[in-house]
Amino acid sequence: MKAQPSAGRVLLCSTAKAGGVIQSATWNSATGEIGTLHESAKIVSPAFMAFDRTGGEDRVYVVSEANGSKAIVSAFAADPTTGALQLINTQSSGGDGPTHVATSPDGRMLALANYSGGSITTYRIDSRGALSTPVSHIQYMGHGPNPDRQESAHAHSARFTSDSRFLLVNNFGLDQILIYRVDPLTAVLTPHSTPVWAAKPGSGPRHIAFHPNGRWIYCLNELDSTVEILQWDSKAGTVTSAGRVSSLPKNFPPGKAFSGEIQVSPDGRNLYIGNRVASDTMAVFRIEKAGGGLTLIQLANNGGRNTRHFAIDPTGRWLILCEIASNTVVILERSASTGRLSEPVHTYPLESPMFVGFLPN
């Protein structure tokens, strides 16, 4: 990959044959090019990362999607100039198959979701960025109507609200978003007085994306490739549905495509969803100013196969896609005026790319 003048750095997780690695490269926001990849850390099965800079230093938290003693979360100090990662400490995830991790906006807490273990765990973060031993650990029981994918509870993501007062957990196996109150001093979770929002049975809520205004939440349902438009009441800590739309073409055969990731553009004008398997496309929505409704305006060519994850660069001009089935990283350009995506601009080889994220300058 050709090195370019840097306007930041990008980190990429790869579950390569050697077991797993985090790669770093320069990122050129003028041209949408990635520089030469350098190994930042070897780590078992890196699946998802979270970034924090509240203390003035860059920190990166990574979950290893493994089982038993190898199911861990690792804290790193990051050098934004070189992308080098220095291990701070590791902790047990508390369950098998951790697949998602998030830090609280105040930088004091971390939460992760154990997919195959069907549980979530929280931690305190100290001034050095080190993780405490597990604080709250919640195990889920039950199953959903899909016998192949919802045979048990599967926690797929855990996200803090912008005020760090609540944690929202997407339980893919139970078709629920669970709501917890969070003690910011201890990271202890308490079920909220309205603890559950129920998704459509068999839809499989995977990830959520917050709108910059803090009032709208978009819930990506993997199994039926839909997105639920939710209104968030930050005072009451409740969500209510305001509509539901598909990320696929009209009359697309059900049960053939499965959405993977969801992101809102930094300007709050567009929502993006990566479709997978039978539809290798990026769904582009216009977010309506009145009420946060969604209008599908494009199904863009993603340039690869099976978009496991993608990220929008800080300028809002580019999308970097991790195409896990084609072992490629693909760059698309985003129109500032319409939000529509270009044909693939750059394509780079990378074995089993799982996650991409940006370090600030």
Side-chain angles (χ1 to χ4, degrees), residues 238-258:
T238 57
V239 292
T240 55
S241 178
R244 193 167 184 268
V245 298
S246 175
S247 65
L248 298 171
K250 191 175 182 180
N251 300 321
F252 195 91
K256 300 295 184 182
F258 306 97

Side-chain angles (χ1 to χ4, degrees), residues 323-345:
E323 308 289 5
I324 191 170
S326 54
N327 296 307
T328 52
V329 175
V330 178
I331 315 295
L332 308 180
E333 188 171 10
R334 172 180 177 262
S335 167
S337 59
T338 67
R340 294 173 66 90
L341 299 176
S342 70
E343 287 293 309
V345 178

Side-chain angles (χ1 to χ4, degrees), residues 171-319:
N171 198 307
F172 174 93
L174 302 183
D175 293 316
Q176 295 176 340
I177 296 178
L178 299 109
I179 305 172
Y180 297 92
R181 287 190 173 275
V182 186
D183 185 329
L185 298 179
T186 65
V188 170
L189 300 180
T190 304
H192 189 39
S193 55
T194 307
V196 175
W197 176 80
K200 180 182 177 182
S203 61
R206 179 184 172 98
H207 289 175
I208 59 174
F210 292 93
H211 191 274
N213 67 16
R215 301 193 309 272
W216 306 331
I217 297 174
Y218 300 97
C219 175
L220 174 62
N221 299 309
E222 176 180 343
L223 293 179
D224 63 3
S225 296
T226 61
V227 55
E228 194 91 28
I229 304 158
L230 301 173
Q231 305 287 332
W232 170 248
D233 186 327
S234 60
K235 291 184 178 179
T238 57
V239 292
T240 55
S241 178
R244 193 167 184 268
V245 298
S246 175
S247 65
L248 298 171
K250 191 175 182 180
N251 300 321
F252 195 91
K256 300 295 184 182
F258 306 97
S259 302
E261 183 58 293
I262 183 169
Q263 298 280 343
V264 175
S265 60
D267 58 18
R269 297 166 63 180
N270 296 100
L271 179 78
Y272 297 89
I273 290 175
N275 293 317
R276 304 183 295 169
V277 187
S279 177
D280 280 313
T281 58
M282 292 292 297
V284 183
F285 294 88
R286 182 177 65 246
I287 299 176
E288 307 300 341
K289 294 181 179 180
L294 299 174
T295 300
L296 182 65
I297 60 172
Q298 185 188 17
L299 287 166
N301 172 21
N302 70 3
R305 296 187 358 254
N306 198 338
T307 307
R308 163 80 182 195
H309 186 261
F310 68 89
I312 306 172
D313 91 307
T315 70
R317 181 180 173 185
W318 308 95
L319 273 70

Side-chain angles (χ1 to χ4, degrees), residues 26 46 71 93 143 169 185 317 322 345 348 359:
T26 57
S93 71
H143 61 85
V169 177
L185 298 179
R317 181 180 173 185
C322 291
V345 178
Y348 304 100
L359 285 175

Side-chain angles (χ1 to χ4, degrees), residues 96-97 114-119 139-156 170-176 178 202 204-205 223:
D96 289 343
N114 296 304
Y115 178 80
S116 54
S119 62
Q139 180 68 54
Y140 301 108
M141 305 298 292
H143 61 85
N146 186 317
D148 296 323
R149 299 292 309 280
Q150 296 179 309
E151 79 291 348
S152 64
H154 294 301
H156 217 314
N170 278 37
N171 198 307
F172 174 93
L174 302 183
D175 293 316
Q176 295 176 340
L178 299 109
L223 293 179

